[in-house]
Amino acid sequence: CVLFFFSRLIFGTLYPAYYSYKAVKSKDIKEYVKWMMYWIIFALFTTAETFTDIFLCWFPFYYELKIAFVAWLLSPYTKGSSLLYRKFVHPTLSSKEKEIDDCLIQAKDRSYDALVHFGKRGLNVAATAAVMAASKGQGALSERLRSFSMQDLSTIRGDSSSAVPASVTVRAGSKQSQPKASRSASEGSGSSGKC
């Protein structure tokens, strides 16, 4: 199984990809057509093996046969991909081309409609969730901020050099600053200025 994976990766994908690149670079139409036929057959093979792997993997020499098949497709002597393409794939696709195109157009339209429909629903759900989170979170955030004194907030920010004077402390229930007399009393009793 592992041997097949690496063989298929190297000989079934990387080798043909490199020669496809060379065909495109050299603009040799004959080579280009040859490698396009290979890729079409290889795509069909990959699709078919997805299902055959489920049912035939127990078959003796199954993976070895798949390696031999890929080698037969690639071989310049057997021209397996050209043979399969010309004998089976091209005639079948030519006769069914109109139906395939219609199915693809319908599938594209349906997928676009489904994408728009689910996209709208997703945006509605996300917007509702964001509004709910913001409304719930705003109350919790404001309560949390009220529990800090201005001096605590400046040290959290890291501005120890620009500390706010201790006279500007915010109470939990109001937005007024503490009077100096009560501030001195609370400092003397060891309170940190938190309410």
Side-chain angles (χ1 to χ4, degrees):
C1 185
V2 175
L3 176 67
F4 169 73
F5 174 75
F6 285 112
S7 299
R8 181 174 173 235
L9 180 67
I10 293 168
F11 297 112
T13 308
L14 295 176
Y15 175 82
Y18 179 71
Y19 277 96
S20 298
Y21 154 76
K22 289 184 73 108
V24 169
K25 185 179 174 188
S26 69
K27 298 179 184 172
D28 183 359
I29 300 298
K30 193 174 181 180
E31 283 295 303
Y32 186 76
V33 169
K34 175 181 119 178
W35 288 111
M36 285 302 294
M37 286 190 278
Y38 170 79
W39 286 116
I40 292 167
I41 297 297
F42 189 74
L44 293 172
F45 166 69
T46 303
T47 305
E49 85 172 330
T50 303
F51 300 105
T52 59
D53 282 354
I54 296 169
F55 301 110
L56 298 176
C57 64
W58 57 268
F59 192 76
F61 303 110
Y62 173 69
Y63 292 104
E64 289 80 3
L65 289 171
K66 286 185 1 177
I67 293 171
F69 180 72
V70 170
W72 178 76
L73 288 178
L74 279 173
S75 174
Y77 303 109
T78 60
K79 298 181 182 177
S81 57
S82 296
L83 180 74
L84 287 177
Y85 180 82
R86 292 175 201 273
K87 291 254 184 201
F88 301 105
V89 176
H90 185 76
T92 304
L93 288 178
S94 293
S95 66
K96 305 278 185 200
E97 189 171 359
K98 178 77 171 124
E99 292 89 355
I100 293 170
D101 287 343
D102 291 342
C103 286
L104 289 174
I105 289 170
Q106 288 176 1
K108 188 168 98 174
D109 292 343
R110 286 184 195 151
S111 65
Y112 177 75
D113 292 342
L115 183 67
V116 168
H117 174 71
F118 287 118
K120 284 180 183 177
R121 284 184 65 192
L123 285 174
N124 287 339
V125 168
T128 304
V131 167
M132 289 178 66
S135 65
K136 288 180 181 178
Q138 184 176 5
L141 180 63
S142 62
E143 288 300 317
R144 180 75 176 143
L145 287 176
R146 282 189 194 133
S147 71
F148 287 117
S149 69
M150 290 302 283
Q151 193 168 16
D152 290 339
L153 290 175
S154 66
T155 57
I156 288 173
R157 240 182 32 211
D159 296 341
S160 59
S161 62
S162 64
V164 177
S167 64
V168 188
T169 343
V170 178
R171 289 186 187 170
S174 69
K175 295 181 181 177
Q176 302 173 10
S177 57
Q178 279 185 337
K180 273 189 173 183
S182 66
R183 180 183 54 85
S184 302
S186 67
E187 284 177 356
S189 63
S191 172
S192 65
K194 288 185 183 178
C195 298

